[in-house]
């Protein structure tokens, strides 16, 4: 049915244990689904962030065009017994005077959400075909989740190199891999993912 408001699917990022516990207690009284996973979940529609950061969940939420909101969204909604309009709680909606970050990083989630909605692109990395040259499996999985959130196709070691658009590698491998130029695509250090989203 058109016009039905979907209940938010929430994740939290950057909170200390006691603060997270208090927010989860409030969430249990609101109509929503929430994940307490340390990893980004692709079902997430609303990321509640303690502050802007380069964390997996923050970057993935930006890349997916999710709402990235302050904790006050949960607190004020719980006080009212219903979900409030999220626009005023979005990171980047206003620049608090006591902010420890310059305006640009606070505005990133809003900018990506609006740009992806305007362009109708499904994610920030749409049409990227990426090779991840990262030896550590856990680290590779983290970057893969961020790229998937932004709708990139991700390969570890593809058989065909023709369609690869980006090669992301660890700093220690960057020069050596670039010299080999196996994939005939631009090579970047993995930190490029965060730079692309945040800058």
């Amino acid at each position: 049915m058109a016009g039905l408001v979907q209940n938010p699917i929430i994740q939290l990022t950057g909170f200390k244990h006691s603060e997270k516990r208090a927010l989860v207690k409030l969430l249990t009284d609101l109509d929503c689904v929430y994940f307490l996973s340390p990893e980004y979940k692709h079902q997430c529609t609303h990321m509640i962030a303690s502050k802007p950061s380069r964390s997996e969940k923050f970057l993935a939420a930006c890349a997916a065009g999710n709402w990235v909101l302050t904790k006050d969204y949960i607190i004020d909604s719980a006080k009212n017994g219903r979900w409030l309009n999220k626009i005023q709680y979005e990171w980047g909606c206003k620049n608090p005077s006591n902010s420890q970050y310059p305006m640009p990083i606070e505005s990133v989630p809003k900018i990506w959400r609006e740009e992806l909605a305007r362009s109708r692109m499904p994610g920030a990395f749409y049409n990227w075909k990426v090779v991840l040259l990262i030896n550590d499996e856990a680290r590779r999985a983290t970057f893969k989740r961020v790229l998937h959130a932004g709708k990139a196709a991700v390969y570890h070691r593809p058989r065909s190199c023709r369609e690869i658009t980006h090669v992301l590698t660890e700093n220690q491998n960057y020069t050596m891999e670039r010299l080999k130029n196996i994939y005939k695509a631009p090579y970047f250090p993995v930190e490029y993912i965060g730079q692309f989203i945040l800058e």
Side-chain angles (χ1 to χ4, degrees), residues 54 128 130-134 139 143 147 166-175 177-178 186-196:
R54 290 181 175 265
W128 285 29
V130 180
V131 172
L132 275 179
L133 300 178
I134 302 173
R139 189 166 152 77
F143 287 108
L147 288 163
H166 297 75
V167 179
L168 301 171
T169 183
E170 295 174 299
N171 280 337
Q172 61 265 32
N173 295 335
Y174 181 70
T175 304
E177 292 290 348
R178 189 170 181 191
Y187 281 63
F188 302 96
V190 292
E191 291 77 16
Y192 179 70
I193 296 170
Q195 292 168 359
F196 182 82

Side-chain angles (χ1 to χ4, degrees), residues 9-182:
I9 302 171
I10 293 177
Q11 281 196 276
L12 306 173
T13 185
F15 295 98
K16 293 183 173 145
H17 187 67
S18 59
E19 195 171 20
K20 182 188 282 187
R21 197 175 26 211
L23 291 171
V24 168
K25 188 175 184 329
L26 296 174
L27 286 173
T28 60
D29 294 333
L30 291 164
D31 200 11
C32 68
V33 173
Y34 59 89
F35 294 106
L36 296 179
S37 171
E39 301 169 350
Y40 177 78
K41 297 294 185 186
H42 73 276
Q43 301 94 330
C44 177
T45 60
H46 295 62
M47 184 66 66
I48 310 301
S50 65
K51 62 185 177 185
S53 71
R54 290 181 175 265
S55 73
E56 171 190 337
K57 290 193 282 188
F58 187 85
L59 292 175
C62 291
N66 294 146
W67 287 93
V68 182
L69 307 164
T70 67
K71 67 180 180 181
D72 293 335
Y73 178 60
I74 294 173
I75 294 166
D76 293 351
S77 293
K79 285 179 189 172
N80 283 276
R82 64 179 175 81
W83 290 113
L84 300 176
N85 184 331
K86 52 194 158 255
I87 290 174
Q88 69 184 16
Y89 298 99
E90 185 172 28
W91 277 103
C93 176
K94 54 189 170 196
N95 187 17
S97 58
N98 64 349
S99 173
Q100 60 185 2
Y101 293 95
M103 187 62 173
I105 194 169
E106 287 182 345
S107 300
V108 166
K110 182 177 190 232
I111 290 168
W112 275 111
R113 185 186 57 74
E114 290 175 345
E115 174 59 24
L116 293 174
R118 184 195 60 72
S119 68
R120 298 181 189 256
M121 284 182 28
F125 304 120
Y126 182 64
N127 283 333
W128 285 29
K129 293 174 178 64
V130 180
V131 172
L132 275 179
L133 300 178
I134 302 173
N135 294 326
D136 180 87
E137 286 185 41
R139 189 166 152 77
R140 185 172 57 247
T142 297
F143 287 108
K144 191 173 182 178
R145 284 188 295 273
V146 173
L147 288 163
H148 278 167
K151 303 303 182 212
V154 181
Y155 307 94
H156 179 55
R157 301 265 185 203
R159 293 186 181 179
S160 171
C161 303
R162 293 179 300 185
E163 295 184 20
I164 299 302
T165 61
H166 297 75
V167 179
L168 301 171
T169 183
E170 295 174 299
N171 280 337
Q172 61 265 32
N173 295 335
Y174 181 70
T175 304
M176 186 172 66
E177 292 290 348
R178 189 170 181 191
L179 288 174
K180 290 181 190 174
N181 201 13
I182 297 168

